[in-house]
Amino acid sequence: MSLVTALRSGVCGIALSTLIAGAALCDPFAGLAKGFDGQMIADGLNRAPITAGSTAEVRGKGFLPGQRVTLRQNGTVLNAEAPVIADGEGAFRTEVRIPEGAEPGRYPVVAEIADPAYAMTFDLKVSPVLPDSGALEITSQKLAPGLYQVAAGNDALYVTSAVGRPPVTESKLMKLDPQTLEILAEATPQDAPDGPDGRDGGVFAVYGVGVDAQGQVWVTNTRQNTVAVYAGEDLSLIKQFEAGAVPHPRDALAHDGKVYVTATFEPTIHVFDAATLEELAPIELSSGKRGADFATASMHIDAASGTLYVVSLETDEVAAVDLASGEETSVYPLPLSKRTIGVGYDAKTHRIFTAGVNTDNVLIVDAATGETLHDVPVGAGPLNIAFDTANDLAWVAVRGSDSLVAVSPEGEVVAKAQIGSFPNHLIAAADGGVFVVNKSKGQEDATGDHISRVTLKP
């Protein structure tokens, strides 16, 4: 069934069966829902990815009580319980069986709604499943709940954690021994100011983390839209910037006496002087899409060339910035990627690696021309990428599939392994392999809240 046919069926089907006396044609707007605010989302059962042969759970909210919903894809009714009826609060839940032979990809689903009539569409994503491969050695250590990012510097690792939504009251900055992964020191962020309405502000919870050449640890306080600086030796607070300094900061990376912080969803990278701890002029980014704004997500700095690579989450682009001049030098579209969030770079082949959360893939792009050389399926929801120069591999934290995937610059999957629940961030180790931090699916999750050192077996 075409989308147009489905829409007509959803709007007019009831009226056809209850024609007004004397009417020759159906009124296509009879009984149309006014001010409809329904929303739908599809997930796998128990927070698993949707894959071929699995069962998807479709949930709806914002419907009118008693509305009937039938899901169709290419004319076929999907929900076994059809129609499903919204409850007294306008919510519903139904299950959809995914065929064994379904190819990975995004499938448009039409929701035909009655009483009153409406129609809407949403995408149901079927993710690829990669078999375990390669020979990996994994050493793990359980840390605190809510692990977010990891950085290296001064013969130590630094890991951030933050639990829950605002007001966040549980957060830590930890210093680890890179060999044993044992905690050497830890700090709890100071209290954040209460909101203007008097609500508890929680603490200046720490998320992104980076280390400058002086050994200072820079963290992003995403909930308060700011950053802070800690001493690498004992994690004592050096400076807490005021709330509002950087809108929704994500990553913090240091290079040549400066620290660069991404403002998520903004076309801006904020710049700080690592010595004076003062903010400098920001770097402005532009989108190649007409009328659109670049929306920064993750970034990577190639120290040898002084080039920063950053991806746009909303416009699916990757930009390069010459840090010596602070000027953007190129912006390339990533048409095969949706919700592009992670980025890595291989200086040897001059190739950029990007992760598309909604397309379950890594794109390998020629940094000189912007040409996409390889499109590599890696599993559900790849999030971050780190390039391992010792092994010439891009390692990918695939959050939805609870896995770690290693990809060569030629687009070959060299290794894949389960790494624990929701791998969130990773960095390359100087002597090869990566350090990965992952989150938890609950208090009883034995694989959650770990840092892992992963290397290729000889």
Side-chain angles (χ1 to χ4, degrees), residues 19 25 49 51 70 76 115 123 133 211 296-299 330 352 394 397 432 434:
L19 286 173
L25 296 174
T51 59
T70 300
T76 301
D115 300 330
D123 281 347
S133 61
V211 184
T296 60
S298 188
M299 62 179 170
S330 62
I352 305 168
V434 287

Side-chain angles (χ1 to χ4, degrees), residues 142 442-448 450:
K142 192 173 182 67
Q443 293 184 351
E444 304 302 318
D445 184 359
T447 72
H450 282 71

Side-chain angles (χ1 to χ4, degrees), residues 156-208:
L157 298 176
Y158 297 91
V159 177
T160 56
S161 72
V163 178
R165 297 186 177 277
V168 177
T169 59
E170 185 178 352
S171 178
K172 287 183 179 181
L173 174 62
M174 292 163 279
K175 178 180 180 179
L176 275 59
D177 184 308
Q179 303 302 320
T180 66
L181 304 181
E182 295 295 329
I183 297 175
L184 303 175
E186 60 182 56
T188 299
Q190 66 181 20
D191 290 342
D194 292 342
D197 56 358
R199 291 186 180 182
D200 182 8
V203 298
F204 281 98
V206 293
Y207 293 88

Side-chain angles (χ1 to χ4, degrees), residues 138-407:
I138 303 174
T139 303
S140 297
Q141 176 72 31
K142 192 173 182 67
L143 297 177
L147 301 184
Y148 197 80
Q149 283 196 7
V150 56
N154 287 354
D155 299 321
L157 298 176
Y158 297 91
V159 177
T160 56
S161 72
V163 178
R165 297 186 177 277
V168 177
T169 59
E170 185 178 352
S171 178
K172 287 183 179 181
L173 174 62
M174 292 163 279
K175 178 180 180 179
L176 275 59
D177 184 308
Q179 303 302 320
T180 66
L181 304 181
E182 295 295 329
I183 297 175
L184 303 175
E186 60 182 56
T188 299
Q190 66 181 20
D191 290 342
D194 292 342
D197 56 358
R199 291 186 180 182
D200 182 8
V203 298
F204 281 98
V206 293
Y207 293 88
V209 60
V211 184
D212 65 28
Q214 302 174 75
Q216 297 176 134
V217 182
W218 291 70
V219 297
T220 59
N221 310 120
T222 306
R223 301 301 185 183
Q224 288 80 27
N225 300 310
T226 191
V227 296
V229 187
Y230 289 80
E233 184 62 31
D234 60 2
L235 301 187
S236 57
L237 180 65
I238 296 175
K239 181 174 182 176
Q240 176 65 65
F241 287 78
E242 291 185 1
V246 182
H248 203 90
R250 186 181 192 273
D251 292 353
L253 297 178
H255 173 73
D256 196 23
K258 297 177 182 178
V259 176
Y260 300 87
V261 179
T262 49
T264 313
F265 305 116
E266 300 288 332
T268 307
I269 295 174
H270 290 251
V271 185
F272 296 85
D273 187 303
T276 65
L277 307 184
E278 298 296 329
E279 186 166 9
L280 306 174
I283 296 171
E284 300 296 338
L285 302 169
S286 62
S287 171
K289 296 186 177 181
R290 186 175 180 179
D293 291 327
F294 198 95
T296 60
S298 188
M299 62 179 170
H300 171 87
I301 294 177
D302 177 43
S305 65
T307 304
L308 181 148
Y309 297 95
V310 58
V311 288
S312 172
L313 188 61
E314 293 186 342
T315 62
D316 298 308
E317 298 170 291
V318 59
V321 176
D322 176 16
L323 294 181
S325 65
E327 296 295 323
E328 179 183 82
T329 57
S330 62
V331 180
Y332 298 135
L334 303 168
L336 300 179
S337 180
K338 297 300 179 187
R339 301 294 286 177
T340 311
I341 190 168
V343 64
Y345 174 74
D346 174 24
K348 185 182 297 183
T349 60
H350 201 39
R351 293 179 178 182
I352 305 168
F353 299 76
T354 65
V357 172
N358 282 7
T359 38
D360 298 335
N361 62 343
V362 166
L363 297 186
I364 303 177
V365 178
D366 188 315
T369 67
E371 178 188 1
T372 296
L373 304 174
H374 303 284
D375 177 2
V376 187
V378 292
L383 192 61
N384 282 299
I385 299 174
F387 195 83
D388 169 10
T389 57
N391 293 301
D392 294 328
L393 292 174
W395 297 81
V396 189
V398 189
R399 194 178 193 274
S401 295
D402 300 339
S403 61
L404 180 69
V405 176
V407 179

